[in-house]
Amino acid sequence: MRTTVRISVGSAALLLASICCAQTAPTGSASAYPARAVRVIVPFSAAGPSDVIARVVAQKLSESFGQQFLVENLPGAGGNTGTARAAKSPADGYTILIVSTGFIVNPSLYAKGVPYDPIKDFAPITLVAASPNVLTVNPEVPARTVQELIALVKANPGKYSFAQPATGSTPHLNGELFKLAFGLDLGTVPFNGAGPAVTSTIGGHTPIAFTALPPAMSNIKDGKLRGLAVLAAKRAAGLPEVPTNAEAGVGDLESDTLTGIVAPAGTPPELVARWRNDIAKIVAMPDIQQRLETLGFAPVANTPSEFGERLKLEMARWGKVVRDAGIKGD
């Protein structure tokens, strides 16, 4: 038996409008986002450059979005612990991850692999800022230029060593690339952070150091370290007297210590775009630029696609150095 349901013209119009709204409205509309706090995972201990930059950005994002962006430090396994946690988080816009160069080096460094894929498991948002690495020596080392240092090490095989802040960091890989490029018999001494590496070089225990610029800058200015080259395309604003590696006659050594932001793969692209645009505005603020410069970083805030391409290029470059130098992670 057929049942006929009669609907008035006014009711039909209301029903049609309801159906259209249900079909077009997202589960969490942009205007309603964020409805709760957003977690900002930093896979390192507090007080390091990544953590400091994360907190600066998180504070400004909290003001912009009207909801808290809460920094959560999850250190361990060279950043792998916190990164794996972020990779497994829902792609709902409530988790973002602060990344540094280890994010792209670790997959090549660890023989058993890492519990994440930098490309497949994450959506790039932006490279927030970058800091060039720097080659320094103890002032007692009889080499005032990079070329003189190369000649000195070649004339004394096995005698000299360089300090580096962490196995697999770009300063470490810069040192290994330097050794490979010039066939140097130069020892590698890893430290648990740039601070101890710099302290060792100031004390003369490790006469040479490859580090990021921030922990070395004040010591170069004070004469406790001699800066031989900033490993970048242009000189650092805070150290205009220190030449670039190209100016020092050693090309292809450019490298940065990176600080970027990614989200779990599948995060709505409109949120990724909104985050990136807000971050670009944040790092353009004079007070934020001054804060970054104090840390030795320069703002970047590139697009998600540009950051994604940069990640792929860095993975290929440093993966080759890891393999050629036979470096293994713990």
Side-chain angles (χ1 to χ4, degrees), residues 140-143 147-162 178-179 182-188 207-208:
E140 297 299 319
V141 172
Q147 295 293 347
E148 289 180 2
L149 180 64
I150 293 171
L152 179 67
V153 175
K154 283 188 173 182
N156 298 273
K159 178 181 177 180
Y160 288 93
S161 61
F162 75 89
F178 183 62
K179 288 165 59 177
F182 298 100
L184 303 178
D185 184 357
L186 180 63
T188 303
I208 305 164

Side-chain angles (χ1 to χ4, degrees), residues 121-300:
D121 291 340
F122 292 96
I125 298 173
T126 189
L127 174 59
V128 178
S131 178
N133 294 323
V134 63
L135 167 58
T136 61
V137 296
N138 180 282
E140 297 299 319
V141 172
R144 306 194 70 84
T145 67
V146 178
Q147 295 293 347
E148 289 180 2
L149 180 64
I150 293 171
L152 179 67
V153 175
K154 283 188 173 182
N156 298 273
K159 178 181 177 180
Y160 288 93
S161 61
F162 75 89
Q164 50 95 345
T167 299
S169 62
T170 51
H172 171 213
L173 298 181
N174 253 150
E176 298 294 344
L177 185 59
F178 183 62
K179 288 165 59 177
L180 290 169
F182 298 100
L184 303 178
D185 184 357
L186 180 63
T188 303
V189 183
F191 287 86
N192 186 25
V198 167
T199 299
S200 176
T201 305
I202 291 173
H205 307 296
T206 44
I208 305 164
F210 282 85
T211 67
L213 181 60
M217 184 183 299
S218 63
N219 293 295
I220 295 172
K221 289 181 177 179
D222 293 342
K224 296 178 181 178
L225 291 174
R226 179 183 301 138
L228 296 189
V230 172
L231 307 176
K234 61 180 182 180
R235 297 192 182 199
L239 292 171
E241 72 282 1
V242 179
T244 67
N245 55 287
E247 291 172 334
V250 286
D252 299 325
L253 283 183
E254 293 85 1
S255 72
D256 296 315
T257 293
L258 309 177
T259 298
I261 302 181
V262 299
T267 296
E270 62 269 22
L271 280 183
V272 170
R274 185 178 171 189
W275 284 330
R276 183 269 163 181
N277 291 339
D278 275 38
I279 292 167
K281 294 175 184 176
I282 289 168
V283 300
M285 297 175 180
D287 60 323
I288 301 301
Q289 289 193 353
Q290 184 177 10
R291 184 74 183 274
L292 290 173
E293 184 177 332
T294 300
L295 292 171
F297 281 79
V300 180

